[in-house]
Amino acid sequence: MDVRLLIINCQQKKLSHPDAPQSVTGVINSDGSIKLDWEAVLGAKSYLTHYSEANQTDPKDAKFMGYSETNSWTLKATDVPTLVAGDKIYIYVQAYREKGIGADDVTKAQYLHDGPFTGSAWSIAVVLTAK
């Protein structure tokens, strides 16, 4: 009886997800890249960022993803959606207890997103405005 209870408790713990990242801040750098920072989440081994084209306010439109194993992430200027002065980009961060697997960050992000893993809720959107 005790063994069975232990197995159930382990399964419940495995299915739990980490807390959503907090205090997310970001900046559009002078070279056009975007950098985000947030408070590390206890138990998180990786983070996915979610973003969309300019001025898309609905999180369901956040079809692009990034990957990080630290509480910081930079999107290269060449990967930033086209932004003109006044455009806004909405970015969300999600924590995972697992690390992505793959040859690059895109593959690692897809591995977590499409796999049987339970990530946290998304952070509150960071809204950055192009100058």
Side-chain angles (χ1 to χ4, degrees):
M1 189 79 130
D2 291 333
V3 173
R4 185 174 185 184
L5 181 61
L6 177 61
I7 291 170
I8 290 170
N9 286 340
C10 288
Q11 288 173 344
Q12 287 176 343
K13 185 170 184 165
K14 184 177 180 181
L15 296 176
S16 70
H17 53 79
D19 293 331
Q22 302 293 312
S23 303
V24 184
T25 60
V27 63
I28 300 175
N29 296 311
S30 59
D31 67 356
S33 64
I34 292 176
K35 182 167 188 311
L36 295 185
D37 294 290
W38 56 88
E39 291 179 10
V41 174
L42 184 65
K45 292 184 180 174
S46 65
Y47 302 89
L48 293 188
T49 53
H50 303 268
Y51 60 99
S52 60
E53 301 288 349
N55 303 312
Q56 298 295 317
T57 60
D58 189 339
K60 294 177 184 164
D61 293 327
K63 61 184 177 180
F64 304 116
M65 291 184 293
Y67 177 85
S68 177
E69 292 180 3
T70 67
N71 59 320
S72 179
W73 173 73
T74 300
L75 180 61
K76 296 184 295 186
T78 55
D79 295 330
V80 173
T82 301
L83 300 172
V84 296
D87 279 350
K88 297 183 184 309
I89 186 166
Y90 294 74
I91 309 172
Y92 310 86
V93 183
Q94 184 179 27
Y96 280 84
R97 293 196 190 283
E98 300 81 16
K99 289 184 179 183
I101 295 175
D104 56 42
D105 286 349
V106 171
T107 307
K108 290 176 183 178
Q110 287 176 328
Y111 172 82
L112 289 175
H113 181 266
D114 298 340
F117 309 105
T118 304
S120 71
W122 290 13
S123 68
I124 295 171
V126 172
V127 183
L128 303 176
T129 304
K131 295 182 182 183

